[in-house]
Amino acid sequence: MKFIVSSSSLLKHLQQISGVINANTVLPILEDFLFEINDKKLNVVATDLETVMRVQMDVESKTNGKVCIPAKILMDSLKNIADQPLTFNIDKNFAVEITSDNGKYKVMGENPDNFPKEPAADDTTGFTMTSSALLTAINKTLFAVSSDDLRPAMTGVFFELTKDGVQFVATDAHRLVRYKRTDTKASKTDSFIVPKKPLNLLKNALPDNDDELTVSYNSNHLFVNHGSTQMICRLIDARFPDYKVVIPADNPYALIVNKGDFQNALRRVNVFSNKSTNQVALNITGSELQMAAQDVDFSFEGNERMNCQYDGQDLQIAFNAKFLIEMLNAADTDDVRIELSTSTKAGLIKPTEQQEGEDLLMLVMPLMLNN
């Protein structure tokens, strides 16, 4: 088989899916891209057995066929070739010859019949949403996903579908993010857990625009289609914890602070905190917020104060500063509202204003105060 393709266009498409390929794989063929030509359309597939990503692009070709090409050497060579048409010639032994304007490169391909088959989209239920809505949901929840493999249910984002909207929830037992979209509706109430890796891949492959994409799922897999890009991943087979019980119903004290100032102050004070806990104590009185961190082992200490609006009784509460900084990133407003009750109960962080059709709520557990 033989085809001609633009080098920069091929590189751009391969970069969208190359993240699927693991550095150390069980099967050597998983280090390859599957190239498949059908009616002048080139489909390229990458998989790690759990996640499959596929892109489609137009090429010049008179024949159909398929071949597996090692991903690393192909990507490395394309990164160093200026934009020009490349001719790929593949013989019956799967040897690949790539010809450019002033060069010729050879690489040994592999038999495409050994490439794992992708899961079939049987009995799927689907809904549509905009690309930017899914992108926003991933960006606002992914950082709170747990990396603890002993609790598999928490190592992904929980999609909760209803006829009123779609909720995305992530938690690592220390913090929780719930992001709701009412502009996206499902045909029935359902839920499933999507692993972290495929969501990370989608984050890099999807454009931040109003393109419509289709999300469909069955009992084992999730399928996301956007234009010429498709992703399939295995869902996490576990029960997501009942997160609703940990969200406090009544946090009467409200603290409003400037997000940027608060984040920068936390970063400065956190330098002096204990590195295993990142503990920063907040002392809130009237219109002043004091932050203090110390590392007793090294006699480090950092204190700062800033203005705030606070409605409630004077309160001292400690949090992991690293968690707070990450959570504040998810709020898109200049000011954030932090709802508190006592020094041992979870704090709720919300943007002061929410976009129409969106609802973001973040929860962070306090740390024990070491007075």
Side-chain angles (χ1 to χ4, degrees):
M1 70 188 240
K2 177 182 171 181
F3 64 91
I4 300 169
V5 63
S6 142
S7 61
S8 61
S9 173
L10 180 61
L11 177 63
K12 199 177 117 212
H13 282 81
L14 294 183
Q15 279 171 330
Q16 287 189 348
I17 64 170
S18 62
V20 179
I21 298 170
N22 288 334
N24 41 2
T25 57
V26 222
L27 304 166
I29 196 129
L30 296 179
E31 292 171 11
D32 295 359
F33 289 122
L34 171 65
F35 277 63
E36 205 170 351
I37 290 186
N38 214 336
D39 294 337
K40 299 192 179 181
K41 291 219 181 294
L42 167 66
N43 279 295
V44 188
V45 186
T47 182
D48 64 359
L49 296 180
E50 295 289 315
T51 306
V52 181
M53 277 194 90
R54 157 196 292 274
V55 284
Q56 191 180 67
M57 55 189 294
D58 294 321
V59 291
E60 281 181 51
S61 170
K62 294 192 170 80
T63 55
N64 294 342
K66 49 186 181 176
V67 65
C68 288
I69 304 178
K72 189 177 183 316
I73 192 162
L74 180 60
M75 296 282 289
D76 289 349
S77 62
L78 287 171
K79 281 173 191 163
N80 294 300
I81 295 176
D83 184 18
Q84 57 185 284
L86 296 179
T87 306
F88 281 69
N89 255 313
I90 295 104
D91 69 17
K92 58 181 190 303
N93 298 322
F94 308 114
V96 182
E97 187 179 270
I98 305 167
T99 313
S100 68
D101 288 349
N102 35 15
K104 193 175 268 193
Y105 317 97
K106 289 183 180 175
V107 57
M108 197 58 217
E110 290 191 60
N111 186 338
D113 296 341
N114 300 333
F115 198 79
K117 299 279 176 284
E118 60 186 65
D122 297 333
D123 301 333
T124 57
T125 312
F127 59 94
T128 56
M129 66 190 300
T130 64
S131 180
S132 64
L134 183 56
L135 210 52
T136 308
I138 293 171
N139 284 327
K140 287 194 189 305
T141 52
L142 207 56
F143 70 89
V145 169
S146 171
S147 49
D148 180 3
D149 293 332
L150 296 173
R151 302 159 107 170
M154 292 187 189
T155 59
V157 174
F158 184 55
F159 282 52
E160 199 171 21
L161 317 178
T162 63
K163 290 180 179 172
D164 303 327
V166 178
Q167 285 198 142
F168 305 84
V169 186
T171 181
D172 60 4
H174 304 290
R175 54 191 167 165
L176 180 141
V177 181
R178 187 193 72 195
Y179 177 67
K180 188 175 182 178
R181 300 266 332 187
T182 49
D183 55 2
T184 301
K185 293 178 173 48
S187 53
K188 60 175 187 175
T189 303
D190 220 332
S191 63
F192 48 85
I193 307 170
V194 185
K196 190 174 187 173
K197 181 178 172 180
L199 291 175
N200 250 325
L201 293 166
L202 277 177
K203 197 167 98 170
N204 300 325
L206 294 176
D208 190 1
N209 60 19
D210 290 336
D211 287 1
E212 193 147 280
L213 47 86
T214 314
V215 180
S216 45
Y217 59 94
N218 56 24
S219 53
N220 297 316
H221 292 93
L222 177 76
F223 305 84
V224 179
N225 284 320
H226 169 265
S228 60
T229 311
Q230 183 190 25
M231 189 211 71
I232 305 170
C233 73
R234 190 189 296 277
L235 297 172
I236 294 175
D237 183 17
R239 241 185 96 147
F240 199 74
D242 184 4
Y243 68 91
K244 295 184 178 80
V245 297
V246 296
I247 299 174
D250 182 33
N251 269 10
Y253 308 153
L255 165 71
I256 293 174
V257 284
N258 179 285
K259 181 182 100 167
D261 294 350
F262 187 37
Q263 258 185 324
N264 290 331
L266 284 169
R267 283 192 183 102
R268 289 189 293 267
V269 173
N270 190 37
V271 173
F272 302 92
S273 70
N274 180 308
K275 286 297 150 272
S276 62
T277 61
N278 293 297
Q279 175 167 327
V280 172
L282 309 182
N283 210 336
I284 318 161
T285 52
S287 60
E288 191 174 77
L289 165 64
Q290 289 195 356
M291 285 158 272
Q294 59 175 350
D295 191 337
V296 185
D297 302 340
F298 297 98
S299 304
F300 293 166
E301 205 170 305
N303 290 283
E304 264 201 45
R305 61 174 188 272
M306 64 180 283
N307 292 332
C308 66
Q309 284 172 266
Y310 180 60
D311 179 15
Q313 289 180 7
D314 291 0
L315 179 66
Q316 193 180 18
I317 187 166
F319 291 112
N320 178 322
K322 212 164 128 246
F323 287 174
L324 283 183
I325 293 164
E326 282 188 336
M327 295 172 87
L328 291 167
N329 276 337
D332 296 330
T333 49
D334 293 340
D335 294 339
V336 287
R337 177 186 172 92
I338 303 172
E339 296 175 4
L340 304 159
S341 64
T342 67
S343 61
T344 54
K345 282 203 177 143
L348 297 178
I349 303 174
K350 299 173 180 176
T352 45
E353 293 165 12
Q354 306 257 21
Q355 299 271 348
E356 196 182 334
E358 290 186 77
D359 179 25
L360 174 69
L361 175 136
M362 296 177 279
L363 172 147
V364 59
M365 299 304 287
L367 300 173
M368 286 286 286
L369 279 160
N370 41 9
N371 293 330

